Amino acid sequence: TLLSSLGLGTTLTFASSHWLLAWMGLEINTLAIIPLMAQHHHPRAVEATTKYFLTQATAAAMILFASTTNAWITGAWDMNNVSNPIASTMIITALALKIGLAPMHFWMPEVLQGLDLLTGLVLSTWQKLAPLALIIQTAQAIDPLLLTTLGLMSTLIGGWGGLNQTQLRKILAYSSIAHMGWMIIVLQYAPQLTLLALLTYIFMTSAAFLTLKTSSATKIGTLATVWSKSPILTTTTALVLLSLGGLPPLTGFMPKWLILQELAKQNLPLIATIMALAALLSLYFYLRLCYAMTLTISPNTTTSTTPWRVQTTQASFPLALATVMALGLLPVT
């Protein structure tokens, strides 16, 4: 029931051209993922669920308020004509809060840290789809300066925030914030590039999360012991992380390349430069993970207890598929 409602909420939002229906889809989506987040009954999971619920409920209420305001002024509930600047600004603020764009990003690392890896995967991929669909549909009515600010702040904060983390889920949360920034920055010039960036982001993040699930790693320290159990997986994981960082010849280079090219075409060299430099910040912490995973041998007098080599019950096909997509899609460009 919960998974089908999760799908239904997002699909409702996709299919709607009426603000009330879109809001209802978002609400169903939120209510469906909350039991999935709290299912472990761990205090941290419950805390994360509460934080998530509060942010999402606030955002949904703001969307409802903004769309009502818009309908009150213009007399129409259509998404296509959000002509009122106050309403459109409120809507983009609420949707940014929903997907965790900076400066509304503070809930994201904390919530992701409290969840298990599969729910975290759902939160950082599937839960982004519905709000992003709404952002893409209303992008033309939004102040370009506001969108640019959101995009730049997200990439910078997503880069800086992840530098000091040792928890993998928090690192992935900051990486998610940075990728969302890349999607938003190009939205007003080429929305199809936003979709492309979203697709590649989903592949790379799925590969990363499923790998961590296979080795049940949640801290950087655990990664250093993975090489002895599954050496091939260690190699591909290092490549997936570099792909997330956006290095050629891996998939992650494609959206960054095309987005920078588009920004240069639109005569925005300064913004393109800042984005490229912000990508370096993100690349640094992906390289830290790569280094811990493939370039260090875990010391014998290790402070953490050596994990048992248990047989994983996870299906290997999704991981293989996501990894191949995250490593080999650059020729599609």
Side-chain angles (χ1 to χ4, degrees):
T1 309
L2 294 174
L3 285 173
S4 58
S5 304
L6 197 64
L8 174 77
T10 305
T11 322
L12 257 180
T13 309
F14 282 164
S16 62
S17 57
H18 188 289
W19 274 115
L20 265 183
L21 198 60
W23 167 79
M24 203 178 302
L26 290 171
E27 222 29 21
I28 292 173
N29 197 358
T30 307
L31 290 178
I33 199 171
I34 279 175
L36 292 175
M37 292 166 92
Q39 67 184 342
H40 289 291
H41 301 299
H42 191 281
R44 279 191 189 154
V46 175
E47 183 188 344
T49 312
T50 314
K51 284 176 182 168
Y52 184 73
F53 172 72
L54 290 173
T55 51
Q56 300 297 309
T58 312
M62 273 176 76
I63 290 171
L64 197 56
F65 181 49
S67 50
T68 315
T69 311
N70 187 55
W72 186 35
I73 292 171
T74 61
W77 283 92
D78 282 357
M79 279 183 196
N80 307 332
N81 55 354
V82 188
S83 47
N84 183 24
I86 301 175
S88 67
T89 307
M90 270 171 57
I91 283 170
I92 186 68
T93 312
L95 290 169
L97 176 61
K98 263 200 178 299
I99 59 173
L101 281 169
M104 283 77 82
H105 67 283
F106 292 99
W107 59 272
M108 178 93 187
E110 311 241 335
V111 168
L112 205 57
Q113 181 55 32
L115 306 178
D116 68 314
L117 290 163
L118 285 181
T119 322
L121 172 62
V122 173
L123 177 66
S124 45
T125 55
W126 184 255
Q127 293 298 96
K128 303 273 189 258
L129 296 179
L132 263 170
L134 295 183
I135 290 180
I136 290 172
Q137 285 182 66
T138 51
Q140 301 314 315
I142 298 163
D143 181 19
L145 182 66
L146 180 62
L147 277 178
T148 310
T149 314
L150 280 174
L152 277 177
M153 275 193 75
S154 298
T155 39
L156 284 168
I157 286 177
W160 264 314
L163 291 182
N164 209 13
Q165 302 293 339
T166 56
Q167 299 287 341
L168 297 178
R169 284 166 295 187
K170 278 196 176 172
I171 288 183
L172 283 168
Y174 280 111
S175 122
S176 166
I177 295 167
H179 279 278
M180 291 293 141
W182 278 91
M183 288 171 216
I184 296 299
I185 197 88
V186 79
L187 180 59
Q188 46 198 329
Y189 310 113
Q192 65 273 26
L193 283 187
T194 302
L195 285 173
L196 177 79
L198 175 67
L199 199 65
T200 50
Y201 160 75
I202 285 177
F203 283 139
M204 298 183 296
T205 310
S206 308
F209 267 107
L210 291 169
T211 308
L212 297 181
K213 180 83 179 64
T214 308
S215 54
S216 52
T218 52
K219 293 198 292 292
I220 291 186
T222 324
L223 286 181
T225 60
V226 175
W227 64 272
S228 59
K229 297 183 229 175
S230 40
I232 310 278
L233 186 65
T234 312
T235 318
T236 55
T237 310
L239 288 172
V240 165
L241 288 167
L242 292 177
S243 180
L244 269 165
L247 291 186
L250 306 164
T251 309
F253 179 55
M254 170 167 58
K256 286 191 167 52
W257 179 19
L258 293 172
I259 286 171
L260 288 175
Q261 187 182 335
E262 182 63 37
L263 289 172
K265 248 191 240 169
Q266 299 287 344
N267 236 350
L268 301 165
L270 183 63
I271 291 177
T273 312
I274 296 174
M275 293 297 283
L277 291 174
L280 282 178
L281 288 170
S282 301
L283 186 61
Y284 178 76
F285 61 78
Y286 296 126
L287 279 174
R288 259 178 72 208
L289 293 185
C290 284
Y291 181 77
M293 215 168 168
T294 54
L295 296 173
T296 55
I297 291 181
S298 183
N300 296 330
T301 55
T302 173
T303 48
S304 63
T305 53
T306 311
W308 290 88
R309 301 189 190 180
V310 285
Q311 272 293 318
T312 172
T313 53
Q314 185 192 331
S316 55
F317 178 70
L319 171 59
L321 184 69
T323 305
V324 169
M325 293 295 195
L327 299 184
L329 278 189
L330 188 68
V332 175
T333 324

